[in-house]
Amino acid sequence: MDTRPEGLTKQEIRDDFVPKVGFLSREFHDLEKERLWPKVWQIACREEELQKVGDFVVYDIADDSIVLVRSAPGELKAFHNVCQHRGRILMDQKHGRTKFMFCKYHGWRWGLDGTLQKVQDQSDWEGCPNFDNQDLRLKEVLVDTWGGFVFINMDADAAPLLEFLDPIPSFLDFLKFDTWRYRWYKTVILPCNWKTVLEGFNEAYHIAATHPQLL
């Protein structure tokens, strides 16, 4: 795919030129769903949201839904938020506290550690000697923390979180993010590509015109 502006040669484009295709192309968006979000560490919540055993938060990204839970004191787990029987979403609420994860379709139930606890009329499923409850555990994803943030990664072969973040912690650890507490959440759905929003929050060039009061 040629991403150069029409009429410009390669020699006339600066090294920091960013082509528009990544912001407008449906094909590019679909490739991100396939090759980016399932393979990159991403912030799902704050540790303070998962203080007590049973506290959970649901994190949605593209077509995937992940449930993070305080499964035991000192232990966090993250699973694909989907029933292993017929694929229904398990946790409809975005956050709360629970003793187990329950499918409202057929009544199957999983413990906070992802183990299968109950199958409705389980005798109907007998006769599969090479398939047991262990095979029906919730599908786990990687979870780790830094600076009070809880990260998830759906790629079991991903590099460790601190390796992925390097060298950011060496610059920011002095801020002690783990001691910070959020005051409120605000979620906004905008009719644009996610990179447009992210760039707006990351750059200061627009402050003079858009937020002059900050000056």
Side-chain angles (χ1 to χ4, degrees):
M1 180 183 296
D2 189 351
T3 60
R4 296 194 298 270
E6 186 176 353
L8 288 182
T9 66
K10 187 174 182 179
Q11 290 73 24
E12 294 173 313
I13 298 176
R14 287 171 32 160
D15 291 339
D16 60 354
F17 170 74
V18 179
K20 66 182 180 182
V21 63
F23 297 80
L24 301 176
S25 165
R26 168 60 64 174
E27 177 186 0
F28 199 100
H29 168 73
D30 291 342
L31 285 172
E32 289 176 335
K33 289 167 60 175
E34 176 187 344
R35 302 180 185 180
L36 175 64
W37 303 123
K39 297 181 179 297
V40 67
W41 285 100
Q42 47 203 296
I43 296 172
C45 65
R46 290 283 298 174
E47 282 191 83
E48 63 218 68
E49 298 177 78
L50 303 171
Q51 294 185 25
K52 298 182 179 181
V53 173
D55 285 349
F56 71 89
V57 171
V58 172
Y59 173 70
D60 297 320
I61 179 68
D63 295 330
D64 291 293
S65 182
I66 307 297
V67 56
L68 301 95
V69 62
R70 175 69 66 183
S71 53
E75 181 180 72
L76 295 175
K77 292 282 189 181
F79 307 98
H80 286 279
N81 183 27
V82 61
C83 176
Q84 295 303 292
H85 175 214
R86 292 292 294 276
R88 187 196 190 280
I89 288 291
L90 290 174
M91 311 304 287
D92 293 314
Q93 290 179 268
K94 294 305 181 184
H95 57 84
R97 186 175 301 158
T98 186
K99 295 181 179 179
F100 48 78
M101 285 167 278
F102 177 76
C103 178
K104 295 180 181 178
Y105 192 12
H106 292 111
W108 288 32
R109 188 175 77 191
W110 286 265
L112 300 180
D113 61 352
T115 56
L116 183 64
Q117 291 184 336
K118 177 185 176 183
V119 174
Q120 184 71 26
D121 298 325
Q122 188 163 3
S123 59
D124 292 346
W125 305 91
E126 294 176 353
C128 300
N130 297 320
F131 192 78
D132 57 25
N133 286 0
Q134 183 65 22
D135 297 304
L136 292 169
R137 285 180 55 88
L138 294 181
K139 300 302 181 183
E140 197 162 350
V141 303
L142 300 181
V143 60
D144 204 347
T145 63
W146 170 76
F149 297 100
V150 183
F151 291 74
I152 62 96
N153 194 315
M154 292 175 263
D155 181 5
D157 298 321
L161 175 62
L162 289 181
E163 181 178 327
F164 171 80
L165 292 176
D166 184 67
I168 297 300
S170 65
F171 292 111
L172 297 182
D173 275 346
F174 79 97
L175 293 172
K176 298 181 179 179
F177 285 138
D178 58 307
T179 68
W180 293 24
R181 296 296 178 263
Y182 71 88
R183 296 299 298 272
W184 48 271
Y185 267 117
K186 184 173 180 63
T187 300
V188 179
I189 298 176
L190 299 173
C192 63
N193 187 278
W194 67 273
K195 293 184 290 294
T196 302
V197 179
L198 188 64
E199 286 191 352
F201 277 95
N202 283 346
E203 58 104 317
Y205 185 52
H206 71 281
I207 289 178
T210 308
H211 311 291
Q213 68 274 19
L214 297 180
L215 301 176

